[in-house]
Amino acid sequence: MHEYSIVRDLMDRVEAEVAACGATAVHRIQLRIGELSGVETDLLRSAYEVFRERSVCGSAELDISHAAASWVCSQCGETVETGGPLQCRLCSGPARLATGDEIVLERIEMEVA
Amino acid sequence: MCETCGCGDPELVPVEVQEGLLAANDHRAKHNREHFDVAGVLAINLMGSPGSGKTALLEATAQRFERSSLSALSGDLATERDAERLSAAGIESRAITTGSACHLDAELVHRGLDQLSWRESDFLFIENVGNLVCPAIYDLGQDANVVALAVTEGEDKPLKYPVMFHRADLVLLTKVDLLPALPNLNVTAIEDALARTMPEPHMIPVSAVNGEGVEEWTEWLKKRRLGVARRWAV
């Protein structure tokens, strides 16, 4: 349940932005979570519900977009299909995760009086 | 006030952040890594399920090294048992009790380092909280991730917990002395699952009971440490 730790970090980050902008409320928070990030979005939403009430995010919508895992060869750049061995079919080089491990705060929409 | 039409509604201001939510942890991990590099200590993040044999493996490892060359931090939700076992085996150790937290993070490790004379050692083992999920995503500043996977856990764990295994530099297949009691276990199937989750699959079968594979593991550690020494020389 590291999702609770992550939401706490999220709240700290949002509060810092709110203070910097002199905002009165947060309208929407947009995250991008990768398939291989190790974060469960359902658990993240549950954790968010627990924390939001006592925070500046009381009325803020949590918008989560998903990033699928994609692999490329770390040597020649060829796409490596998921499901099979993580090795390049052309040069046998090891695959590198190109997308799918991100846990990113993309944007915050705030209300400024 | 809305500046577009003067309607009195609050103005919505979008702020582009595009920053990783673990950025604060990553920053502290980088700080830890600098400490390890300067001291020429190889730091290993040892992860695995509860009961996968992490502590027993370190006890067996201690027999192959001089007393002063190993140090360890042991993470558990409660008790200092693992650290006590490691101390008894000759590894200078401190416990990090996390309370309810399911993983170690870079800050907990940094605080643990303050209570340990790890700089005098060559290898620092950070025995993470037993868990195949959460510890994988927190960088502690380690040089390598090592995952202990016991033969009793079954063949499909790498496929079920891909995040843990895709970040592993080495998998230690532990308790291989039990293989005769597990006639249906197919080690080749474990290797196949690792090939689908680890870009550079590397597995060493080990037994803390009969010592099988422990020498190969210690050779891996020594070779890996040469890289740290080279970074320090540069």
Side-chain angles (χ1 to χ4, degrees):
Chain A
M1 283 296 281
H2 52 287
E3 283 78 5
Y4 278 83
S5 313
I6 289 171
V7 168
R8 218 169 39 225
D9 287 344
L10 170 66
M11 294 298 179
D12 289 347
R13 193 71 182 77
V14 172
E15 276 170 14
E17 288 294 340
V18 164
C21 298
T24 52
V26 180
H27 189 72
R28 184 198 303 269
I29 299 168
Q30 207 170 319
L31 305 181
R32 189 171 76 250
I33 304 290
E35 183 184 347
L36 284 179
S37 66
V39 173
E40 279 300 321
T41 51
D42 287 347
L43 293 176
L44 196 70
R45 285 185 191 283
S46 306
Y48 179 72
E49 290 306 317
V50 170
F51 279 99
R52 69 189 289 179
E53 285 177 18
R54 291 168 286 159
S55 77
V56 292
C57 302
S59 59
E61 195 181 319
L62 184 65
D63 190 0
I64 301 177
S65 64
H66 298 268
S70 66
W71 301 83
V72 295
C73 173
S74 60
Q75 285 169 14
C76 74
E78 175 73 9
T79 300
V80 177
E81 298 297 326
T82 52
L86 293 175
Q87 207 178 37
C88 179
R89 63 189 173 88
L90 299 180
C91 74
S92 301
R96 175 178 61 77
L97 196 62
T99 60
D101 65 348
E102 52 270 74
I103 308 171
V104 173
L105 171 57
E106 293 194 304
R107 100 207 289 249
I108 310 168
E109 282 177 26
M110 293 178 282
E111 290 179 14
V112 180
Chain B
M1 183 189 285
C2 166
E3 289 176 359
T4 310
C5 64
C7 63
D9 286 344
E11 190 184 359
L12 281 184
V13 177
V15 175
E16 291 293 327
V17 184
Q18 300 295 344
E19 190 179 281
L21 278 178
L22 298 180
N25 182 74
D26 292 345
H27 180 75
R28 291 183 202 111
K30 184 169 171 277
H31 177 73
N32 289 349
R33 191 166 281 119
E34 284 164 1
H35 277 313
F36 300 144
D37 275 356
V38 167
V41 173
L42 180 82
I44 298 288
N45 182 10
L46 179 59
M47 298 178 280
S49 307
S52 57
K54 298 183 289 299
T55 312
L57 181 82
L58 292 181
E59 288 171 324
T61 308
Q63 295 175 17
R64 306 278 178 141
F65 287 93
E66 282 182 32
R67 258 186 111 79
S68 60
S69 61
L70 308 182
S71 60
L73 291 172
S74 274
D76 266 311
L77 270 63
T79 84
E80 299 189 354
R81 288 184 179 208
D82 284 356
E84 286 163 9
R85 276 176 62 185
L86 295 179
S87 296
I91 305 177
E92 196 198 326
S93 308
R94 288 291 176 277
I96 303 176
T97 42
T98 60
S100 59
C102 48
H103 59 271
L104 294 178
D105 63 25
E107 174 67 22
L108 285 170
V109 168
H110 192 263
R111 270 188 259 154
L113 291 174
D114 284 344
Q115 302 167 35
L116 190 72
S117 46
W118 60 276
R119 282 189 174 82
E120 284 76 52
S121 63
D122 298 328
F123 302 90
L124 169 72
F125 296 101
I126 306 165
E127 187 185 343
N128 219 310
V129 178
N131 181 337
L132 274 184
V133 184
C134 316
I137 73 168
Y138 287 88
D139 186 5
L140 308 177
Q142 72 278 358
D143 180 83
N145 284 325
V146 176
V147 178
L149 172 68
V151 291
T152 47
E153 290 181 66
E155 297 149 355
D156 53 5
K157 284 296 171 293
L159 299 176
K160 287 180 173 173
Y161 298 90
V163 177
M164 173 62 73
F165 288 91
H166 111 72
R167 295 179 191 212
D169 296 289
L170 173 70
V171 170
L172 295 169
L173 184 66
T174 59
K175 309 188 187 187
V176 291
D177 54 289
L178 295 179
L179 282 175
L182 302 166
N184 294 327
L185 186 88
N186 182 354
V187 174
T188 309
I190 299 176
E191 289 169 334
D192 179 68
L194 290 178
R196 291 166 197 273
T197 44
M198 288 173 79
E200 295 181 78
H202 187 186
M203 179 182 91
I204 302 177
V206 294
S207 165
V209 172
N210 65 23
E212 182 183 341
V214 177
E215 186 173 350
E216 188 181 346
W217 151 239
T218 54
E219 287 307 312
W220 182 89
L221 284 170
K222 288 175 189 168
K223 197 171 156 198
R224 189 96 193 182
R225 185 168 176 266
L226 291 178
V228 176
R230 266 199 293 276
R231 276 206 300 277
W232 175 221
V234 171

